[in-house]
Amino acid sequence: MPLFSHRHNSSALPTSTTTNSSYSAKDQKLHKLNSKISLPILLFSLLSIFFGLAGIIFAVNAVRRPSPLPVYRCGRSEDTFRAFYSLSDSGKLRDNGALLDRPKLLGFVGIQTGFGSADRRAALRSTWFPSDPDRLLRLEQATGIAFRFVIGKSKDAKKTAQLEKEIDKYRDFMLIDVQEEYLKLPYKTLAYFKAAFLHFEADYYVKADDDIYLRPDRLATLLAKERSNPLTYIGCMKKGHVITDPKMKWYEKSGHLIGNEYFLHAYGPIYVLSANVVASLAAARNNSLRMFSNEDVTIGSWMLAMNVHHEDNRAICDPRCTSTSIAVWDIPKCSGLCNPAFRMKELHNIKAMSSTKSIPFQYFTAAPVAILKNDSCLNSVRLHFYGTEAINAFAEGTADAGQCKCTENAFGEGHVKEAGHGHGQRLGHSHGFSDGDEESGVLELGIVSHSIIIGISLGVSHSPCTIRPLIAALSFHQFFEGFALGGISIGTAVASVYNPNSPGALIVEGILDSISAGILVYMALVDLIAADFLSKRMSCNFRLQVVSYLMLFLGAGLMSLLAIWA
């Protein structure tokens, strides 16, 4: 047995040795294999880490670096401002968030400028024309009119480079595919109208020069007037002898086709064409329209062929500042302002142009009437009272309706358009009941109905404990207290037969109060507070956020004190 055991142990020993030697050989092979593979893997890992870190660095730089805004191109024209519509609640977006191909407007103003007119553009931006994209967008929202500098191309690389820097800074240009030359001004004007029609769906298209002083608010009122003829040509109309002497200014080389006297046409510094007229021009084939030497004569000849309605308006060619001036320039001495860079600032300092009286009471009475008529011309009426100074304040987001300036005429001449044209736009457009007008209408409807309920309650009340808090509440309603006064009259009339403590009266009053309270709470939270606190201006200014929150809570606290007497 021991012998057997010995044999067993001795036979097992070599087996164990063989197994260990086998594992040792495998380890050696794996070690050799790992030593061969480890170096490439190490290099690959280091390379991957390097690319990963480089990607992170590039990503951080891309996020921190201000990316250039996209330029909207339509054919051979470009709107350098269009990208800013996507940065704000401008009403220029589809439901899916994409930009509209042709945003709807009351009017589009193309300010014709050239490569040598940088000083004029600077003067405009320091006066009535907004000097940054945010203010330009606010002006568009306020008036329903978009404004752009219109310029062609140049073969001069230096001039083009300077213009590109200006475009990057202000983004307020429309670029068109035509050589920027004075002798080609008629061609540039046609290219402008075609480009404007492709980019915007406006009711009116305005051509203006960069050497006139313009009041955007009064222009909006002019464009918002009701007109029966869809083919309208608005301007300072004139006639005169045709200049056929080549040595004289305004020489017309095709004068033999016209005759001795010009047909009726508008002065060139500013005129307005309705949408149907511009649509016809946009559809015209190249070289199908006759070009005369002078741009204003050329446009006048087209208008004569189209059988348009000529509307003569002297407010857009006023040689002096008045309370009704829409555009001011030194007619007839100059075809614009003489020395425009200086005169522009000089005019801006005249009170009759940059500011006028306070808002008259007619505006406050016009507001509820416009709501009841489902009339969105209220925005145009409101801004007719605002002077250039107030519009600039509105563009900066600091305007207060109670401090705005105004003109003395509530509606201007003629009638303002009513609702029903279906060209709505937030905060500005004068046709159709827009989203901004719906919000204003709902808010004012809630305040009005609440004021009426308070007025009725005050009229039927006999207890001083009830009357005192109601009078305190009325003091916070400003011009809606007129509706409350009407409610007081109703309450006084029915006081003898009306029992405010009856179940029916309590149910009706409770329902109306609930509706009014719901409207006011919703509008306060969603359309007023949220709109302000989520705005771009608020999010970019921490100091403004702190002050706004403090004022919000202070106002809520003061209003809560009314509960002591309620």
Side-chain angles (χ1 to χ4, degrees), residues 467-501:
I467 293 174
R468 279 196 297 267
L470 291 178
I471 292 177
L474 285 179
S475 65
F476 286 90
H477 286 199
Q478 296 182 6
F479 68 87
F480 290 103
E481 61 200 15
F483 294 97
L485 293 175
I488 294 175
S489 301
I490 296 173
T492 304
V494 301
S496 58
V497 295
Y498 174 75
N499 183 8
N501 296 319

Side-chain angles (χ1 to χ4, degrees), residues 95-208:
D95 294 336
N96 60 2
L99 284 172
L100 291 174
D101 293 333
R102 297 180 69 221
K104 296 181 179 180
L105 296 167
L106 171 61
F108 179 83
V109 178
I111 303 171
Q112 312 299 306
T113 189
F115 286 89
S117 301
D119 58 337
R120 296 185 180 185
R121 294 191 293 272
L124 286 172
R125 294 190 185 105
S126 66
T127 55
W128 66 267
F129 193 96
S131 58
D132 62 77
D134 187 60
R135 291 178 60 196
L136 184 60
L137 181 59
R138 286 177 179 270
L139 177 61
E140 180 179 326
Q141 293 172 335
T143 60
I145 303 176
F147 296 83
R148 301 288 188 276
F149 288 109
V150 180
I151 194 168
K153 301 186 301 182
S154 174
K155 297 179 181 179
D156 191 322
K158 184 177 180 181
K159 292 181 178 179
T160 303
Q162 292 175 345
L163 179 65
E164 289 176 352
K165 292 180 180 179
E166 189 175 351
I167 292 174
D168 291 339
K169 182 176 181 180
Y170 296 106
R171 293 283 175 176
D172 51 7
F173 283 87
M174 174 180 282
L175 310 179
I176 56 178
D177 187 24
V178 65
Q179 286 297 320
E180 193 64 47
E181 297 178 15
Y182 181 77
L183 295 178
K184 291 187 176 181
L185 191 55
Y187 296 91
K188 177 183 177 180
T189 304
L190 178 60
Y192 154 65
F193 281 119
K194 287 188 174 185
F197 186 78
L198 288 174
H199 284 286
F200 296 94
E201 183 181 350
D203 288 347
Y204 296 94
Y205 297 85
V206 183
K207 179 266 178 184

